[in-house]
Amino acid sequence: MDIRDYLDGDQVDLHGFQDHLDSLDDEARVRAVRSLGPAHQALLFEAAADAALTDTAQLVPAGTPAWQAVVHAGRNSLPVLSSFEKRFFRTELAEVFGYNRHVLRPLVGPGYFGVVRIGSGALMIDYARLPARAPQGGPAVRANSARLGRFVYHRTTDTLRAVGAHVTVGRASRDGRALDAWFVLCRRTPDA
């Protein structure tokens, strides 16, 4: 069965979607997640309305050394340059930060962010919150208001929802207003 078959309009089978993804190996799961276009991402985000991500261990598993990045392969709803990665890491103080890796990084910047708790403990990516330094092997930290990053990351937040043990879906907002911009992430298993 194709992963998109679980996301058919009003008949979203979120549990079937999660079970299917959790049954796949790392590379197959990444391929499946990256096959989801904008309409599927929006459907998945709405279907996961009751699945707010509340545990940072889904982003950076327990036991991951401080300042070591965990790769999440992603696809966003942009018409071009839609494949990217978010790399999350934890500091020695258990704060979680991350940055984006994509082909436009030299122009737009790495788009560093902090992961913060909101509302009832849900997690949100906040591009106004930056780490004190870069993780191991990461690019230099730069303000998101610099260069072309001001058009992409500045004043932006992402709401995260869990859709499986390795997969999250998100929607971007700017200045508190939800945008028609979604993304889906798949945490890679180290050394996979």
Side-chain angles (χ1 to χ4, degrees), residues 86-89 96-100 110-115 125-131 144 158:
K86 284 193 185 298
R87 296 185 172 199
F88 294 89
F89 59 93
V96 176
F97 292 94
Y99 66 96
N100 292 277
Y112 273 97
F113 55 80
V115 177
I125 289 173
D126 184 354
Y127 286 94
R129 192 159 184 260
L130 304 178
N144 289 317
D158 298 329

Side-chain angles (χ1 to χ4, degrees), residues 31-165:
R31 279 193 307 277
V33 163
R34 283 192 165 163
S35 75
L36 299 175
H40 290 116
Q41 293 172 29
L43 276 171
L44 183 58
F45 185 81
E46 292 309 316
D50 294 330
L53 186 62
T54 58
D55 187 356
T56 60
Q58 183 148 346
L59 304 173
V60 182
T64 304
W67 300 98
Q68 179 178 314
V70 176
V71 176
H72 292 245
R75 179 166 182 192
N76 62 43
S77 58
L78 296 174
V80 294
L81 305 171
S82 59
S83 290
F84 71 103
E85 292 177 352
K86 284 193 185 298
R87 296 185 172 199
F88 294 89
F89 59 93
R90 187 179 290 114
T91 69
E92 62 276 349
L93 300 175
E95 298 171 299
V96 176
F97 292 94
Y99 66 96
N100 292 277
R101 185 176 172 95
H102 48 80
V103 297
L104 294 179
R105 188 172 77 192
L107 298 172
V108 184
Y112 273 97
F113 55 80
V115 177
V116 297
R117 293 199 181 278
I118 58 170
S120 60
L123 300 178
M124 179 181 75
I125 289 173
D126 184 354
Y127 286 94
R129 192 159 184 260
L130 304 178
R133 64 179 176 92
Q136 299 171 7
V141 177
R142 183 170 70 208
N144 289 317
S145 58
R147 298 184 189 169
L148 296 177
R150 70 180 171 272
F151 300 111
V152 179
Y153 305 118
H154 188 55
R155 301 185 340 260
T156 302
T157 58
D158 298 329
T159 301
L160 296 174
R161 294 178 178 168
V163 289

